[in-house]
Every structure is written in structure tokens, then in C-alpha cells.
């Protein structure tokens, strides 16, 4: 499949630029990262018999058994618009390799990249293994779920939409769910932080692909002793970002969701109405030219403002300040977010209590770095309303499979039957790719 898809690389990159306004560098990186992920998943699967507990015949208390992973069944997947290829293939390829049948709902925005994979999919897989569904999600996904024929749901998007789908299954207890959902990732800047490092990483984390990432930094809490200095550095870096079209080398590009600029203006109005300022308004922060929205830095944000708790998913950078760590603790514990946090400090002693607190709340704690998903071999997990399941090269194979054991009382005749089954039953045969395919 990878070999068949490779000739479409440039067409897919162009589709990502034209349809979802992803800049040329990020669009190319998405395709290349996806292909590397696929290769890593295949390599992991091929080694699974050696790495799986009881992956070879083992006798325990007189019972001999061997574990292989089998498919869950019909798997419905919903692709996001922001990383339509990478995030979907991080679910779909492991699910396919484990033997599942895929029903893939294409995003209303971002679907062109998937259309360009049709020829490779048709040549690589039997008919009916991968099925595309187009149209409005609310009109198409609910009726499919209500049939009760869906065994597994793979969803990347919002928690409310996930809940709405799950409850439409006539037997929700039997629906296996894998989801990567929203994040309101927080960057905590302590008094001793290197502010140049903090500013550089926060800008990357907040505004890469216009902040349209679940892993984006969506709230900054800076100690009041360094808040003003950090704010100055953030504004300088953000105002220097190039704005324009994706193929022009711009960092800030138009927003593909038609309703997003209006939403962003509404949260800015709410914050300003409650006492905050768009501190870079003089440089155009918060202004719009069609779908191009100039990043807005908002300060000081307080817990009464929507920007403190809502996931803005766009180029708005809200910053709050704190004087006591209890304020940070309260904000983190009150949040629905369970994905990530970033700590900026040069002190192990000051970082340690935060790590202890955050380790019960989020799935990843970043030290002096933006929030991110990679490398893909690392687990990408979450708590609360941010995830159900862990995404990684290894964990995705587990998420879309079920441990299945073949077992028997250990005696010579049963061993002979088992040896014969290994050559006859496809489920027990060695994992290998068909000749000439990848």
C-alpha cells in the first residue's frame, strides 16, 4: 500500500495546502510522518509473536496455550480536518492490520486527501475492507450506529460528538471505543524559567498550524513576577510570524472552517468585556481579512472568561497570571482537560511538585517544551474528556484488537493437533507481508 500511495505524495500535499490551508512544510511533514508511522506499525506487528505475552506456545498448570490478537469487527472511524491523513492513518492502518473492516467518514473539510488514496486502497485491499462515507456526520453516522452492526468506534474530534454517537448504539456496552478528543493544554511558567525558551516554545505550541491542533498550548499561566516580561517576548515573536497563503512559506494561514473567525471574535469580545486586552491589537492582533485571522495575544485572562476554559482551536493566545501555586493547582484540577501540560523552569525542586500533581490529571508532562504527540513510538494518552485509549505504534495495534488464546490440556496428541493447526489455520500462521507488497 505504501508503495502504491507514494506516487500520490505531491497531489496529497497540494490538497492539504489548498483545502485546509496547511503550509507547504507542514503538509509535506504530515505525509512523510504518516508513511513512517505505517512502516513502524508493520515492523511492530511482525515482531508481535516475540513481544506478546504468551505469543508462543506456553504451558501453565497443565494447560498449553498461545495468544494471538484478532479483530474487533466492523470499525467506524471519523477523520478530523486538521490532520486528515496522519491522525486517521494512526488509527486506520493498525485496525486494518489487525483484520478489522473499516467504515470511514470523510470530513466535510479535509476529505480531498482521502479521495486521492482511493486508487492505492483499491489495489492493495480486497473489496469491502475499506468503505468511505460522505455527507453530514449528524445525518450519516447516527443511522449507521443505530444498526448495531458497528463493533468499534475510532473517533478523533469532540467529546460531545463522541458521546452522541455512543448512545445511539443499541448495545453500547459491546462497542469498543478509541478516541482522541479535545485538549486545553496549559503552559505553566515559573519565576526561574528561561523566558526566551518559554516564549519560543509557547509560540510554537500555540500557533503551529494556526493553533488548530488538539496538542496546541491553549492557556498560559505565568507567575506574576515574570508575566509582563514573558508577554513582551511573546508579542514580539508572534507579530513577526509571516502571514499569507500556504504555498508562500507563511506560518499563519487562512482558517478552513467558515464559522471559526466569528467564534474567535466572540471569545475575544467576552475576554475584553471582562477586563482583558488584546495586547497586540496595534499590530493587527485579532483582526481578520476574509478567513485570515491575525493571532491575538490576550492578557490578563481570568477564570470568569471563556478563553480560560474553552478550547479555542485557533490563533488566539490567552495568558493568565498567578502569584501562588495553589492557583495553578486549582485551575488544573477544575479543568476538563486531561491531555497535556508544559512546565517551564530551571529548578528540579520546583518542577517536582507540579509533576506529582499533573501525573494524576494529564497523559503527558512536557518540561521546557511545547506540548506535542511525537515521537510516534511514545504513548499519546489522556484522561478526563481528552481521550479514551492510547495512541502509539504499539498501543494502536492493541486498541483495535482482542487477545484470543488457543488452549488445550497439554498432552502429546493435543500437541500434534496444535502443530497441524499452525500450518492450516491462517490465524496461527507467521505474520508476513505478501511478496512485493508493503
Amino acid at each position: 500500500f505504501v508503495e502504491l500511495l507514494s506516487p500520490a505524495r505531491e497531489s496529497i500535499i497540494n490538497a492539504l495546502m489548498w483545502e485546509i490551508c496547511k503550509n507547504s512544510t507542514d503538509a509535506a511533514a504530515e505525509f512523510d510522518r504518516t508513511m513512517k508511522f505505517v512502516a513502524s506499525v508493520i515492523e511492530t506487528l511482525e515482531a508481535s509473536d516475540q513481544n506478546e505475552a504468551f505469543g508462543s506456545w506456553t504451558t501453565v498448570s497443565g494447560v498449553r496455550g498461545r495468544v494471538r490478537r484478532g479483530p474487533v469487527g466492523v470499525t467506524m472511524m471519523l477523520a478530523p480536518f486538521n490532520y486528515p491523513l496522519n491522525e486517521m492513518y494512526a488509527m486506520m492502518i493498525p485496525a486494518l492490520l489487525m483484520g478489522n473492516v473499516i467504515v470511514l467518514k470523510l470530513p466535510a473539510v479535509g476529505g480531498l486527501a482521502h479521495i486521492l488514496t482511493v486508487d492505492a486502497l483499491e489495489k492493495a485491499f480486497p473489496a469491502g475492507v475499506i468503505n468511505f462515507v460522505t455527507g453530514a456526520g449528524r445525518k450519516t453516522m447516527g443511522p449507521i450506529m443505530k444498526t448495531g452492526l458497528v463493533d468499534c468506534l475510532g473517533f478523533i474530534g469532540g467529546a460531545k460528538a463522541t458521546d452522541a454517537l455512543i448512545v445511539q448504539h443499541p448495545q453500547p456496552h459491546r462497542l469498543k471505543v478509541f478516541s482522541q478528543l479535545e485538549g486545553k493544554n496549559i503552559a505553566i511558567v515559573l519565576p526561574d524559567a528561561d523566558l526566551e525558551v518559554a516564549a519560543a516554545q509557547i509560540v510554537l505550541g500555540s500557533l503551529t498550524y494556526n493553533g488548530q491542533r488538539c496538542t496546541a498550548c491553549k492557556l498560559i499561566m505565568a507567575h506574576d513576577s515574570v508575566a509582563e516580561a514573558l508577554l513582551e517576548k511573546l508579542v514580539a515573536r508572534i507579530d513577526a510570524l509571516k502571514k499569507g497563503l500556504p504555498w508562500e512559506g507563511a506560518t499563519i494561514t487562512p482558517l478552513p472552517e467558515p464559522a471559526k473567525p466569528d467564534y474567535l471574535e466572540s471569545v475575544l469580545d467576552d475576554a475584553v468585556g471582562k477586563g482583558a486586552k488584546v495586547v497586540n491589537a496595534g499590530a493587527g492582533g485579532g483582526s481578520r481579512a476574509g478567513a485570515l485571522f491575525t493571532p491575538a495575544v490576550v492578557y490578563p485572562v481570568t477564570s470568569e472568561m471563556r478563553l480560560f476554559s474553552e478550547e479555542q482551536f485557533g490563533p488566539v493566545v490567552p495568558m493568565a497570571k498567578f502569584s501562588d501555586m495553589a492557583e495553578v493547582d486549582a485551575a488544573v484540577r477544575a479543568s476538563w482537560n486531561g491531555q497535556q501540560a508544559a512546565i517551564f523552569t530551571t529548578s528540579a525542586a520546583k518542577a517536582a511538585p507540579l509533576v506529582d500533581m499533573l501525573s494524576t490529571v494529564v497523559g503527558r508532562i512536557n518540561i521546557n517544551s511545547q506540548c506535542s504527540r511525537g515521537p510516534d513510538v511514545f504513548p499519546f494518552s489522556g484522561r478526563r474528556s481528552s481521550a479514551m485509549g492510547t495512541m502509539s505504534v504499539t498501543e494502536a495495534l492493541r486498541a483495535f484488537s482482542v487477545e484470543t488464546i488457543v488452549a488445550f490440556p497439554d498432552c502429546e496428541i493435543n500437541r500434534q493437533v496444535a502443530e497441524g493447526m499452525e500450518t492450516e489455520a491462517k490465524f496461527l500462521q507467521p505474520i508476513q507481508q505478501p511478496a512485493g507488497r508493503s
Side-chain angles (χ1 to χ4, degrees):
F1 171 65
V2 173
E3 291 175 356
L4 292 168
L5 189 61
S6 293
R9 179 180 184 273
E10 292 306 314
S11 296
I12 290 174
I13 291 170
N14 284 329
L16 294 173
M17 288 193 290
W18 279 92
E19 189 180 17
I20 64 170
C21 302
K22 183 164 287 189
N23 69 37
S24 55
T25 300
D26 288 347
E30 177 169 353
F31 183 91
D32 295 339
R33 179 185 182 184
T34 302
M35 296 303 101
K36 290 178 181 177
F37 181 90
V38 173
S40 296
V41 172
I42 292 171
E43 182 180 344
T44 301
L45 179 62
E46 290 176 333
S48 60
D49 283 343
Q50 289 74 41
N51 298 327
E52 182 79 54
F54 307 112
S56 58
W57 292 109
T58 306
T59 300
V60 178
S61 301
V63 178
R64 191 166 181 81
R66 181 184 176 190
V67 170
R68 268 281 176 85
R69 288 191 166 269
V72 180
V74 176
T75 301
M76 186 165 76
M77 295 187 166
L78 283 81
F81 85 86
N82 58 335
Y83 286 85
L85 199 70
N86 183 259
E87 292 195 346
M88 179 47 58
Y89 276 39
M91 295 192 298
M92 188 178 80
I93 295 300
L96 284 170
L97 289 170
M98 299 315 300
N100 298 282
V101 172
I102 307 299
V103 178
L104 172 57
K105 166 62 175 69
L106 300 186
V109 177
L112 288 180
H114 290 288
I115 298 300
L116 292 169
T117 69
V118 166
D119 288 344
L121 291 171
E122 187 177 24
K123 293 175 183 178
F125 298 100
V129 171
I130 301 175
N131 308 273
F132 284 1
V133 177
T134 61
R138 292 180 181 178
K139 294 181 179 180
T140 56
M141 295 295 95
I144 293 174
M145 189 64 78
K146 288 177 181 178
T147 65
L149 299 176
V150 176
D151 301 296
C152 182
L153 172 65
F155 191 100
I156 298 179
K160 289 182 179 179
T162 307
D163 291 343
L165 275 177
I166 292 171
V167 298
Q168 292 185 72
H169 197 292
Q171 296 175 305
H173 65 273
R174 60 165 282 188
L175 182 69
K176 188 170 186 179
V177 179
F178 176 89
S179 61
Q180 297 294 328
L181 306 172
E182 299 138 302
K184 185 70 176 179
N185 299 325
I186 184 172
I188 304 163
V189 184
L190 301 185
D192 65 312
D194 183 323
L195 296 186
E196 291 293 346
V197 170
Q201 289 296 310
I202 288 171
V203 170
L204 276 175
S206 300
L207 294 174
T208 296
Y209 188 41
N210 302 316
Q212 297 168 124
R213 303 178 301 136
C214 66
T215 57
C217 171
K218 302 191 179 85
L219 176 66
I220 307 160
M221 292 193 73
H223 191 271
D224 56 12
S225 65
V226 296
E228 299 288 342
L230 175 64
L231 189 66
E232 183 178 345
K233 294 180 185 297
L234 286 173
V235 169
R237 287 179 178 271
I238 290 171
D239 289 348
L241 296 175
K242 183 177 180 179
K243 307 163 192 68
L245 296 173
W247 46 88
E248 295 176 337
T251 299
I252 303 302
T253 58
L255 304 175
E257 292 182 292
K260 182 53 65 74
D262 286 344
Y263 167 76
L264 295 177
E265 284 187 342
S266 74
V267 293
L268 288 180
D269 290 344
D270 174 77
V272 171
K274 294 174 180 175
K277 293 182 179 180
V278 178
V279 295
N280 64 334
S287 64
R288 55 193 282 192
L292 185 65
F293 195 97
T294 300
V297 182
V298 188
Y299 174 84
V301 172
T302 62
S303 59
E304 295 79 19
M305 301 172 189
R306 292 167 59 192
L307 274 174
F308 195 87
S309 57
E310 290 185 22
E311 183 190 31
Q312 64 270 35
F313 212 75
V316 172
V317 183
M319 188 169 109
K321 59 181 179 179
F322 68 93
S323 57
D324 190 294
M325 288 305 302
E327 298 170 64
V328 176
D329 186 282
V332 169
R333 295 187 185 280
S335 174
W336 51 265
N337 174 61
Q339 193 193 93
Q340 298 190 41
I343 305 169
F344 292 91
T345 181
T346 56
S347 167
K350 292 179 179 178
L354 273 173
V355 169
D356 287 342
M357 182 269 287
L358 290 166
S359 66
T360 67
V361 177
V362 299
R364 176 166 172 156
I365 305 164
N366 303 277
I367 308 298
N368 294 321
S369 173
Q370 64 167 312
C371 298
S372 63
R373 196 184 98 189
D376 288 330
V377 293
F378 282 4
F380 180 52
S381 61
R383 293 181 169 91
R384 298 174 170 180
S385 295
S386 291
M388 294 175 68
T390 298
M391 182 181 286
S392 74
V393 168
T394 303
E395 292 300 322
L397 289 168
R398 295 178 177 274
F400 295 102
S401 64
V402 176
E403 289 175 310
T404 304
I405 184 167
V406 178
F408 53 84
D410 192 1
C411 65
E412 185 58 32
I413 189 169
N414 287 343
R415 286 196 177 209
Q416 291 176 8
V417 172
E419 289 174 3
M421 285 192 304
E422 286 191 309
T423 62
E424 298 292 334
K426 293 180 180 179
F427 182 66
L428 294 173
Q429 290 176 11
I431 299 169
Q432 57 186 7
Q433 298 183 52
R437 288 280 182 88
S438 64

